[in-house]
Each structure stands twice: as structure tokens, then as C-alpha cells.
Amino acid sequence: MTHFSRGGKGSPAATDLRVIAGKYKGTKLASPRNSATHPMGAREKNALFNMLQPWIADARVLDAYAGSGALGIEALSRGATGVAFVEQQPAVVRILHENLSRIGVAAEVLAEAVAAATERTDWQGEFNLIIADPPYDNFQLSEVEALGELLMPGGILALSYPGDLGELELTGFQLLTARHYAAAGIGIYRKTML
């Protein structure tokens, strides 16, 4: 996965941030104009969702580290029944809400850190699929592994991670497939813990 330049505050937003397939195809999405997020390129996003195709339809999805919400919105566009979003930065949460308005969808948005989401008892075992694109400059393996608590047994975790970590093993998960794009890796994992 190639991530756009993470330039300083005030750097321009990604110009091609849009839904690439499904019922919202072509919808332009707002992108934060700062270094807080790193939108995924269209080619890499398409590759990710091609890998996820067997698990998207009728799935209850969590978009962790949601940023603009582009990945969760893509999942909705491709047939997920519902998506919850986790994003801790207030300015970015406003953009996420704006993007949900653009497609006319009301969704649960948790404006907290992912660590807080993993402790929510009402979300334990709630999701079929979690899409996680954490910040590479503060990648925390234990936090990513804790997302397993929110997956149903046999649920799927799609993880974007720093490519220099190699093929990443996660406790409580079976690696199904992995791909590398420039400085990033994508891993698709199945929850194995009881």
C-alpha cells in the first residue's frame, strides 16, 4: 500500500480520495488537510478490497484508525451491512461525519483511541471484519492484537502495517495472505482464539 506524503500541517489533501466500487462508486470524499492521516492510494485500496471480497457481503465491519472513513465507506459501498468507525482526532472526526453525509448513511462513530474501543464490552465479539490502518510512526502490535476481542470467532482482520516489519505474525490470529506495496504490507488474518 502506498500512502500519500505525510507533509506538514496545511499540506494539500489527496485529490483522488473517492469510493472506487459498489453502490457509492465515484463519490468524492473529503480528506484531512494535515499530517494526521495517510490516505491509502486507489490501487492499493482496490487490492485490499479484492482480497476481502469473500468476507464483505453482509458483514458488520469496524474501521479502526478510521481517518476520513474511506475504508469503512468502501466496505459499505461493496455490501457490508453496517460499519462502526473509531477515530480519536476531533478535526478528523468532523471530516468523517461529512463523508458519511455525502453517502447519506448514519453510522456509529467512536471519537476515542482504538485502545478505548477494545475495552468496550458492548463491542466484544460484535464484528465479522475489522479493517485497521494504524499510523506507521506509532505502530503498536499489542493494540492491534487487542482488536481480536471485538471480532466474532473466525472473524477477519485486514491490517495495513509498516512493510519493514516483514511478514507480521499476530497472537490469536492465523495469517491467510499477505502482500507488500512499496513501504507497506497488507495482511489478512483470521481470528483463532476462543
Side-chain angles (χ1 to χ4, degrees):
M1 255 176 308
T2 302
H3 293 80
F4 290 99
S5 169
R6 300 190 71 181
K9 290 188 178 185
S11 64
T15 56
D16 66 344
L17 191 59
R18 64 180 65 228
V19 180
I20 56 177
K23 64 183 173 181
Y24 305 122
K25 181 179 180 179
T27 303
K28 291 182 180 179
L29 301 175
S31 178
R33 293 183 176 275
N34 61 34
S35 62
T37 63
H38 54 275
M40 187 181 293
R43 182 177 69 91
E44 293 76 20
K45 183 164 63 170
N46 197 47
L48 169 66
F49 279 92
N50 285 341
M51 293 164 70
L52 289 177
Q53 184 175 353
W55 300 287
I56 292 279
D58 302 321
R60 172 87 171 124
V61 178
L62 176 65
D63 184 353
Y65 314 95
S68 67
L71 298 179
I73 289 170
E74 189 74 35
L76 283 170
S77 185
R78 294 178 184 232
T81 56
V83 178
F85 299 85
V86 179
E87 174 55 51
Q88 68 178 343
Q89 299 176 61
V92 179
V93 169
R94 286 191 290 276
I95 290 170
L96 197 166
H97 281 293
E98 178 186 334
N99 286 333
L100 290 169
S101 294
R102 289 179 184 203
I103 61 168
V105 169
E108 185 172 7
V109 177
L110 180 64
E112 293 187 46
V114 166
T118 63
E119 296 174 3
R120 285 186 58 160
T121 56
D122 60 326
W123 278 11
Q124 302 296 303
E126 176 70 16
F127 301 98
N128 307 93
L129 171 63
I130 295 176
I131 301 171
D133 188 12
Y136 287 7
D137 58 358
N138 188 24
F139 184 83
Q140 297 179 34
L141 184 61
S142 60
E143 186 173 88
V144 170
E145 290 173 335
L147 287 168
E149 296 294 323
L150 307 181
L151 278 171
M152 296 176 177
I156 299 297
L157 170 67
L159 175 64
S160 170
Y161 59 89
D164 60 4
L165 296 178
E167 197 168 275
L168 198 60
E169 298 286 330
L170 300 179
T171 301
F173 291 90
Q174 173 193 3
L175 177 63
L176 300 180
T177 187
R179 302 276 190 282
H180 287 274
Y181 298 92
I186 300 175
I188 307 297
Y189 301 84
R190 185 187 305 276
K191 179 179 174 177
T192 58
M193 54 189 164
L194 299 176

